[in-house]
Short mmCIF file of all heavy atoms in Angstrom, two decimals:
data_model
loop_
_atom_site.label_atom_id
_atom_site.label_comp_id
_atom_site.label_asym_id
_atom_site.label_seq_id
_atom_site.Cartn_x
_atom_site.Cartn_y
_atom_site.Cartn_z
N THR A 119 98.88 -61.23 -23.30
CA THR A 119 99.12 -60.02 -22.60
C THR A 119 98.09 -58.99 -22.88
O THR A 119 97.33 -59.22 -23.90
CB THR A 119 100.56 -59.42 -22.84
OG1 THR A 119 100.58 -58.90 -24.24
CG2 THR A 119 101.65 -60.32 -22.59
N SER A 120 98.02 -57.97 -22.19
CA SER A 120 97.04 -56.85 -22.65
C SER A 120 97.71 -55.84 -23.43
O SER A 120 97.10 -54.79 -23.68
CB SER A 120 96.44 -56.30 -21.30
OG SER A 120 97.51 -55.75 -20.55
N SER A 121 98.98 -56.03 -23.81
CA SER A 121 99.65 -55.10 -24.62
C SER A 121 99.04 -54.86 -26.02
O SER A 121 98.90 -55.92 -26.70
CB SER A 121 101.12 -55.42 -24.58
OG SER A 121 101.85 -54.51 -25.47
N ASP A 122 99.05 -53.67 -26.47
CA ASP A 122 98.68 -53.40 -27.89
C ASP A 122 99.91 -52.58 -28.52
O ASP A 122 99.88 -52.29 -29.61
CB ASP A 122 97.41 -52.54 -27.95
CG ASP A 122 97.59 -51.14 -27.31
OD1 ASP A 122 98.61 -51.03 -26.52
OD2 ASP A 122 96.75 -50.41 -27.39
N ASN A 123 101.07 -52.75 -27.74
CA ASN A 123 102.28 -52.18 -28.24
C ASN A 123 103.25 -53.18 -28.77
O ASN A 123 104.27 -53.25 -28.23
CB ASN A 123 102.83 -51.28 -27.20
CG ASN A 123 103.92 -50.17 -27.67
OD1 ASN A 123 104.05 -50.13 -28.95
ND2 ASN A 123 104.42 -49.54 -26.68
N ILE A 124 102.78 -54.04 -29.64
CA ILE A 124 103.63 -55.12 -30.05
C ILE A 124 104.00 -54.77 -31.64
O ILE A 124 103.21 -54.50 -32.38
CB ILE A 124 102.84 -56.50 -30.00
CG1 ILE A 124 102.36 -56.62 -28.59
CG2 ILE A 124 103.72 -57.69 -30.48
CD1 ILE A 124 101.43 -57.85 -28.36
N HIS A 125 105.36 -55.04 -31.88
CA HIS A 125 105.84 -54.83 -33.28
C HIS A 125 106.56 -55.98 -33.76
O HIS A 125 107.31 -56.77 -33.02
CB HIS A 125 106.75 -53.48 -33.13
CG HIS A 125 106.15 -52.36 -32.44
ND1 HIS A 125 105.43 -51.44 -33.16
CD2 HIS A 125 106.09 -52.02 -31.13
CE1 HIS A 125 104.95 -50.52 -32.39
NE2 HIS A 125 105.40 -50.86 -31.19
N VAL A 126 106.49 -56.24 -35.05
CA VAL A 126 107.14 -57.34 -35.71
C VAL A 126 108.36 -56.91 -36.44
O VAL A 126 108.39 -56.02 -37.11
CB VAL A 126 106.16 -58.07 -36.83
CG1 VAL A 126 106.81 -59.08 -37.44
CG2 VAL A 126 104.83 -58.53 -36.10
N LEU A 127 109.52 -57.63 -36.09
CA LEU A 127 110.84 -57.42 -36.66
C LEU A 127 111.14 -58.80 -37.19
O LEU A 127 111.71 -59.63 -36.33
CB LEU A 127 111.86 -56.85 -35.73
CG LEU A 127 113.22 -56.56 -36.22
CD1 LEU A 127 113.23 -55.51 -37.33
CD2 LEU A 127 114.24 -56.12 -35.01
N PRO A 128 110.80 -58.95 -38.49
CA PRO A 128 111.05 -60.39 -38.97
C PRO A 128 112.54 -60.86 -38.82
O PRO A 128 113.40 -60.14 -39.10
CB PRO A 128 110.62 -60.22 -40.40
CG PRO A 128 109.77 -59.09 -40.57
CD PRO A 128 110.44 -58.19 -39.42
N ASN A 129 112.55 -62.20 -38.47
CA ASN A 129 113.95 -62.72 -38.31
C ASN A 129 114.10 -63.81 -39.54
O ASN A 129 114.28 -64.92 -39.28
CB ASN A 129 113.92 -63.43 -36.98
CG ASN A 129 115.32 -63.84 -36.72
OD1 ASN A 129 116.34 -63.43 -37.16
ND2 ASN A 129 115.40 -64.76 -35.60
N ILE A 130 113.95 -63.22 -40.75
CA ILE A 130 113.94 -64.11 -41.88
C ILE A 130 114.63 -63.47 -43.15
O ILE A 130 114.53 -62.29 -43.06
CB ILE A 130 112.52 -64.63 -42.15
CG1 ILE A 130 112.66 -65.84 -43.25
CG2 ILE A 130 111.70 -63.55 -42.56
CD1 ILE A 130 111.27 -66.52 -43.26
N VAL A 131 115.19 -64.20 -43.93
CA VAL A 131 115.66 -63.63 -45.14
C VAL A 131 114.75 -64.15 -46.27
O VAL A 131 114.61 -65.40 -46.44
CB VAL A 131 117.18 -63.92 -45.45
CG1 VAL A 131 117.59 -63.69 -46.75
CG2 VAL A 131 118.04 -63.50 -44.31
N TYR A 132 114.26 -63.30 -47.06
CA TYR A 132 113.45 -63.71 -48.20
C TYR A 132 114.37 -63.80 -49.50
O TYR A 132 115.05 -62.78 -49.86
CB TYR A 132 112.28 -62.72 -48.53
CG TYR A 132 111.28 -62.81 -47.51
CD1 TYR A 132 111.25 -61.73 -46.46
CD2 TYR A 132 110.28 -63.76 -47.33
CE1 TYR A 132 110.31 -61.72 -45.45
CE2 TYR A 132 109.31 -63.76 -46.36
CZ TYR A 132 109.39 -62.79 -45.42
OH TYR A 132 108.51 -62.68 -44.33
N ILE A 133 114.54 -65.11 -49.97
CA ILE A 133 115.53 -65.32 -51.01
C ILE A 133 115.35 -64.43 -52.13
O ILE A 133 116.22 -63.85 -52.86
CB ILE A 133 115.61 -66.83 -51.32
CG1 ILE A 133 116.08 -67.69 -50.13
CG2 ILE A 133 116.29 -67.16 -52.63
CD1 ILE A 133 116.07 -69.13 -50.31
N PRO A 134 114.00 -64.10 -52.73
CA PRO A 134 113.87 -63.37 -53.94
C PRO A 134 114.31 -61.94 -53.70
O PRO A 134 114.84 -61.27 -54.65
CB PRO A 134 112.33 -63.34 -54.14
CG PRO A 134 111.93 -64.56 -53.56
CD PRO A 134 112.80 -64.84 -52.28
N GLU A 135 114.45 -61.46 -52.37
CA GLU A 135 114.89 -60.13 -52.19
C GLU A 135 116.39 -60.00 -52.14
O GLU A 135 116.89 -59.02 -52.68
CB GLU A 135 114.37 -59.57 -50.93
CG GLU A 135 112.80 -59.32 -50.83
CD GLU A 135 112.38 -58.83 -49.59
OE1 GLU A 135 113.21 -58.41 -48.68
OE2 GLU A 135 110.96 -58.89 -49.41
N VAL A 136 117.01 -60.95 -51.59
CA VAL A 136 118.53 -60.90 -51.60
C VAL A 136 119.12 -61.56 -52.80
O VAL A 136 120.36 -61.32 -53.19
CB VAL A 136 119.02 -61.57 -50.40
CG1 VAL A 136 118.65 -60.86 -49.15
CG2 VAL A 136 118.72 -63.06 -50.25
N MET A 137 118.41 -62.41 -53.53
CA MET A 137 119.00 -63.02 -54.76
C MET A 137 117.80 -63.01 -55.77
O MET A 137 117.16 -63.99 -56.13
CB MET A 137 119.41 -64.31 -54.56
CG MET A 137 120.46 -64.58 -53.56
SD MET A 137 120.78 -66.36 -53.00
CE MET A 137 121.14 -67.10 -54.52
N PRO A 138 117.61 -61.78 -56.41
CA PRO A 138 116.35 -61.62 -57.31
C PRO A 138 116.52 -62.52 -58.51
O PRO A 138 115.47 -62.83 -59.11
CB PRO A 138 116.40 -60.08 -57.65
CG PRO A 138 117.76 -59.61 -57.21
CD PRO A 138 118.31 -60.51 -56.20
N ASP A 139 117.60 -62.89 -58.89
CA ASP A 139 117.79 -63.64 -60.26
C ASP A 139 117.70 -65.24 -59.79
O ASP A 139 117.66 -66.01 -60.81
CB ASP A 139 119.11 -63.53 -60.89
CG ASP A 139 119.20 -62.10 -61.42
OD1 ASP A 139 118.16 -61.52 -61.61
OD2 ASP A 139 120.33 -61.43 -61.46
N CYS A 140 117.49 -65.59 -58.63
CA CYS A 140 117.47 -66.96 -58.22
C CYS A 140 116.07 -67.53 -58.49
O CYS A 140 115.05 -66.97 -58.12
CB CYS A 140 117.82 -67.11 -56.78
SG CYS A 140 117.72 -68.76 -56.26
N LYS A 141 115.98 -68.55 -59.19
CA LYS A 141 114.73 -69.18 -59.47
C LYS A 141 114.67 -70.63 -58.84
O LYS A 141 115.35 -71.53 -59.30
CB LYS A 141 114.58 -69.33 -61.09
CG LYS A 141 114.76 -68.12 -61.86
CD LYS A 141 113.47 -67.23 -61.58
CE LYS A 141 113.63 -65.97 -62.65
NZ LYS A 141 113.15 -64.76 -61.90
N LEU A 142 114.04 -70.65 -57.87
CA LEU A 142 113.91 -72.00 -57.16
C LEU A 142 112.76 -72.74 -57.53
O LEU A 142 111.66 -72.17 -57.69
CB LEU A 142 113.74 -71.68 -55.58
CG LEU A 142 115.09 -71.31 -54.82
CD1 LEU A 142 114.66 -70.89 -53.30
CD2 LEU A 142 116.07 -72.21 -54.90
N ARG A 143 113.03 -74.12 -57.76
CA ARG A 143 111.88 -74.96 -58.12
C ARG A 143 111.71 -75.95 -56.94
O ARG A 143 112.50 -75.94 -56.00
CB ARG A 143 112.39 -75.74 -59.39
CG ARG A 143 112.68 -74.91 -60.55
CD ARG A 143 113.26 -75.82 -61.68
NE ARG A 143 114.42 -76.55 -60.88
CZ ARG A 143 115.46 -76.98 -61.63
NH1 ARG A 143 115.66 -76.62 -62.82
NH2 ARG A 143 116.33 -77.73 -60.95
N LYS A 144 110.50 -76.49 -56.99
CA LYS A 144 110.12 -77.37 -55.90
C LYS A 144 111.21 -78.50 -55.63
O LYS A 144 111.55 -78.91 -54.47
CB LYS A 144 108.93 -78.09 -56.09
CG LYS A 144 107.71 -77.33 -55.34
CD LYS A 144 106.42 -78.21 -55.45
CE LYS A 144 105.49 -77.57 -54.25
NZ LYS A 144 104.27 -78.21 -54.34
N GLU A 145 111.82 -79.02 -56.86
CA GLU A 145 112.70 -80.10 -56.58
C GLU A 145 114.18 -79.67 -56.24
O GLU A 145 115.06 -80.56 -55.97
CB GLU A 145 112.74 -80.93 -57.96
CG GLU A 145 113.21 -80.28 -59.08
CD GLU A 145 112.07 -79.45 -59.86
OE1 GLU A 145 110.82 -79.26 -59.36
OE2 GLU A 145 112.37 -78.96 -60.94
N ASP A 146 114.41 -78.37 -56.16
CA ASP A 146 115.77 -77.85 -55.90
C ASP A 146 115.98 -78.20 -54.24
O ASP A 146 115.11 -78.06 -53.54
CB ASP A 146 115.92 -76.35 -56.04
CG ASP A 146 115.98 -76.01 -57.60
OD1 ASP A 146 116.27 -76.93 -58.28
OD2 ASP A 146 115.64 -74.89 -57.86
N LYS A 147 117.38 -78.55 -54.09
CA LYS A 147 117.68 -78.79 -52.73
C LYS A 147 118.19 -77.36 -52.17
O LYS A 147 118.94 -76.71 -52.69
CB LYS A 147 118.89 -79.70 -52.66
CG LYS A 147 119.29 -80.26 -51.38
CD LYS A 147 120.34 -81.28 -51.35
CE LYS A 147 119.99 -82.69 -51.54
NZ LYS A 147 120.89 -83.77 -51.45
N ILE A 148 117.81 -77.16 -50.87
CA ILE A 148 118.19 -75.98 -50.21
C ILE A 148 118.98 -76.47 -49.01
O ILE A 148 118.58 -77.30 -48.21
CB ILE A 148 117.01 -75.03 -49.79
CG1 ILE A 148 116.04 -74.81 -50.86
CG2 ILE A 148 117.45 -74.02 -48.85
CD1 ILE A 148 114.83 -73.98 -50.56
N HIS A 149 120.11 -75.82 -48.86
CA HIS A 149 120.96 -76.02 -47.74
C HIS A 149 120.85 -74.94 -46.64
O HIS A 149 120.89 -73.77 -46.90
CB HIS A 149 122.58 -76.06 -48.12
CG HIS A 149 122.67 -77.12 -49.14
ND1 HIS A 149 123.04 -78.49 -48.85
CD2 HIS A 149 122.73 -77.14 -50.52
CE1 HIS A 149 123.22 -79.23 -49.87
NE2 HIS A 149 122.94 -78.39 -50.96
N PHE A 150 120.69 -75.48 -45.38
CA PHE A 150 120.62 -74.44 -44.31
C PHE A 150 121.77 -74.50 -43.43
O PHE A 150 122.39 -75.55 -43.15
CB PHE A 150 119.29 -74.95 -43.37
CG PHE A 150 117.99 -74.69 -43.92
CD1 PHE A 150 117.39 -75.69 -44.69
CD2 PHE A 150 117.43 -73.45 -43.76
CE1 PHE A 150 116.05 -75.38 -45.18
CE2 PHE A 150 116.21 -73.24 -44.37
CZ PHE A 150 115.53 -74.24 -45.01
N LEU A 151 122.22 -73.32 -42.97
CA LEU A 151 123.28 -73.28 -41.95
C LEU A 151 122.59 -72.75 -40.54
O LEU A 151 122.00 -71.62 -40.59
CB LEU A 151 124.39 -72.24 -42.37
CG LEU A 151 125.34 -71.90 -41.19
CD1 LEU A 151 126.19 -73.12 -40.87
CD2 LEU A 151 126.34 -70.81 -41.80
N TYR A 152 122.68 -73.52 -39.61
CA TYR A 152 122.08 -73.20 -38.43
C TYR A 152 123.10 -72.86 -37.35
O TYR A 152 124.01 -73.51 -37.02
CB TYR A 152 121.12 -74.35 -37.85
CG TYR A 152 120.57 -74.14 -36.51
CD1 TYR A 152 119.29 -73.54 -36.38
CD2 TYR A 152 121.14 -74.60 -35.30
CE1 TYR A 152 118.74 -73.22 -35.15
CE2 TYR A 152 120.53 -74.29 -34.07
CZ TYR A 152 119.35 -73.74 -34.10
OH TYR A 152 118.86 -73.52 -32.75
N LEU A 153 123.01 -71.53 -36.99
CA LEU A 153 123.93 -71.17 -36.02
C LEU A 153 123.27 -70.91 -34.59
O LEU A 153 122.43 -70.02 -34.42
CB LEU A 153 124.63 -69.74 -36.38
CG LEU A 153 125.52 -69.90 -37.71
CD1 LEU A 153 125.82 -68.54 -38.19
CD2 LEU A 153 126.61 -70.91 -37.57
N GLY A 154 123.51 -71.70 -33.72
CA GLY A 154 122.86 -71.62 -32.31
C GLY A 154 122.91 -72.91 -31.57
O GLY A 154 123.36 -73.97 -32.17
N ARG A 155 122.55 -72.95 -30.33
CA ARG A 155 122.60 -74.14 -29.62
C ARG A 155 121.46 -75.03 -30.07
O ARG A 155 120.33 -74.57 -30.35
CB ARG A 155 122.37 -73.72 -28.12
CG ARG A 155 123.52 -73.30 -27.43
CD ARG A 155 123.43 -73.36 -25.87
NE ARG A 155 122.25 -72.73 -25.34
CZ ARG A 155 122.04 -71.39 -25.11
NH1 ARG A 155 122.97 -70.47 -25.29
NH2 ARG A 155 120.91 -70.97 -24.53
N ILE A 156 121.65 -76.23 -30.15
CA ILE A 156 120.68 -77.14 -30.56
C ILE A 156 119.88 -77.55 -29.37
O ILE A 156 120.31 -78.45 -28.56
CB ILE A 156 121.36 -78.45 -31.30
CG1 ILE A 156 122.03 -77.96 -32.51
CG2 ILE A 156 120.21 -79.41 -31.68
CD1 ILE A 156 122.83 -79.04 -33.28
N GLU A 157 118.71 -76.89 -29.10
CA GLU A 157 117.88 -77.08 -27.98
C GLU A 157 116.57 -76.70 -28.38
O GLU A 157 116.32 -75.71 -29.26
CB GLU A 157 118.46 -76.39 -26.87
CG GLU A 157 118.32 -74.98 -26.79
CD GLU A 157 118.71 -74.24 -25.61
OE1 GLU A 157 119.76 -74.55 -24.98
OE2 GLU A 157 117.91 -73.53 -24.99
N ARG A 158 115.56 -77.04 -27.71
CA ARG A 158 114.16 -76.95 -27.94
C ARG A 158 113.80 -75.32 -27.84
O ARG A 158 113.08 -74.87 -28.95
CB ARG A 158 113.33 -77.62 -26.83
CG ARG A 158 111.81 -77.39 -26.91
CD ARG A 158 111.05 -78.08 -25.84
NE ARG A 158 109.64 -77.89 -25.99
CZ ARG A 158 108.75 -78.00 -25.17
NH1 ARG A 158 109.13 -78.30 -23.87
NH2 ARG A 158 107.50 -77.82 -25.33
N ASN A 159 114.30 -74.49 -27.08
CA ASN A 159 114.07 -73.14 -26.94
C ASN A 159 114.48 -72.26 -28.10
O ASN A 159 114.20 -71.13 -28.26
CB ASN A 159 114.59 -72.68 -25.62
CG ASN A 159 113.60 -72.87 -24.41
OD1 ASN A 159 112.53 -73.15 -24.63
ND2 ASN A 159 114.22 -72.87 -23.26
N LYS A 160 115.44 -72.80 -28.81
CA LYS A 160 116.04 -72.11 -29.98
C LYS A 160 115.29 -72.34 -31.16
O LYS A 160 115.59 -71.95 -32.35
CB LYS A 160 117.49 -72.57 -30.25
CG LYS A 160 118.45 -72.05 -29.06
CD LYS A 160 118.54 -70.61 -29.00
CE LYS A 160 119.57 -70.15 -27.88
NZ LYS A 160 119.67 -68.88 -27.78
N GLY A 161 114.23 -73.19 -31.12
CA GLY A 161 113.33 -73.48 -32.35
C GLY A 161 113.88 -74.59 -33.23
O GLY A 161 113.38 -74.70 -34.35
N ILE A 162 114.70 -75.43 -32.67
CA ILE A 162 115.31 -76.45 -33.59
C ILE A 162 114.18 -77.52 -33.93
O ILE A 162 114.06 -78.07 -35.20
CB ILE A 162 116.51 -77.30 -32.90
CG1 ILE A 162 117.25 -78.15 -33.99
CG2 ILE A 162 115.97 -78.03 -31.68
CD1 ILE A 162 117.89 -77.40 -35.09
N GLY A 163 113.16 -77.71 -33.16
CA GLY A 163 112.11 -78.59 -33.63
C GLY A 163 111.21 -78.00 -34.76
O GLY A 163 110.94 -78.77 -35.58
N GLU A 164 111.05 -76.68 -34.73
CA GLU A 164 110.25 -76.14 -35.89
C GLU A 164 111.09 -76.28 -37.14
O GLU A 164 110.47 -76.43 -38.20
CB GLU A 164 109.79 -74.75 -35.59
CG GLU A 164 108.81 -74.52 -34.43
CD GLU A 164 109.29 -74.69 -33.10
OE1 GLU A 164 110.49 -74.98 -32.73
OE2 GLU A 164 108.46 -74.52 -32.13
N ILE A 165 112.32 -76.07 -36.97
CA ILE A 165 113.17 -76.16 -38.15
C ILE A 165 113.18 -77.49 -38.73
O ILE A 165 113.05 -77.73 -39.93
CB ILE A 165 114.70 -75.54 -37.83
CG1 ILE A 165 114.65 -74.12 -37.59
CG2 ILE A 165 115.56 -75.77 -39.06
CD1 ILE A 165 115.99 -73.59 -36.94
N LEU A 166 113.28 -78.43 -37.87
CA LEU A 166 113.32 -79.90 -38.41
C LEU A 166 111.96 -80.26 -38.96
O LEU A 166 112.00 -81.04 -40.07
CB LEU A 166 113.79 -80.73 -37.20
CG LEU A 166 115.19 -80.70 -36.67
CD1 LEU A 166 115.36 -81.53 -35.48
CD2 LEU A 166 116.26 -81.06 -37.77
N ILE A 167 110.88 -79.83 -38.48
CA ILE A 167 109.69 -80.08 -39.16
C ILE A 167 109.52 -79.41 -40.40
O ILE A 167 109.02 -80.06 -41.30
CB ILE A 167 108.44 -79.52 -38.15
CG1 ILE A 167 108.47 -80.51 -36.85
CG2 ILE A 167 107.14 -79.54 -38.84
CD1 ILE A 167 107.56 -79.92 -35.87
N LEU A 168 110.01 -78.36 -40.55
CA LEU A 168 110.00 -77.52 -41.86
C LEU A 168 110.80 -78.28 -43.00
O LEU A 168 110.41 -78.24 -44.13
CB LEU A 168 110.41 -76.11 -41.75
CG LEU A 168 109.41 -75.16 -41.04
CD1 LEU A 168 110.13 -73.64 -40.77
CD2 LEU A 168 108.19 -74.98 -41.79
N VAL A 169 111.87 -78.73 -42.65
CA VAL A 169 112.79 -79.37 -43.57
C VAL A 169 112.62 -80.79 -43.90
O VAL A 169 113.19 -81.29 -44.66
CB VAL A 169 114.33 -78.99 -43.31
CG1 VAL A 169 114.58 -77.62 -43.22
CG2 VAL A 169 114.71 -79.59 -41.98
#
Side-chain angles (χ1 to χ4, degrees):
T119 70
S120 59
S121 177
D122 58 353
N123 197 3
I124 306 172
H125 308 275
V126 176
L127 181 63
N129 191 17
I130 191 167
V131 174
Y132 293 101
I133 293 174
E135 290 179 13
V136 295
M137 299 173 58
D139 297 330
C140 180
K141 305 291 184 214
L142 286 176
R143 301 172 308 211
K144 263 192 165 175
E145 61 272 7
D146 288 339
K147 189 182 272 188
I148 299 174
H149 299 272
F150 287 92
L151 171 63
Y152 177 82
L153 299 173
R155 285 194 310 274
I156 297 175
E157 67 173 56
R158 181 178 182 202
N159 283 333
K160 296 291 183 180
I162 191 68
E164 288 81 357
I165 291 171
L166 293 175
I167 289 170
L168 287 173
V169 297

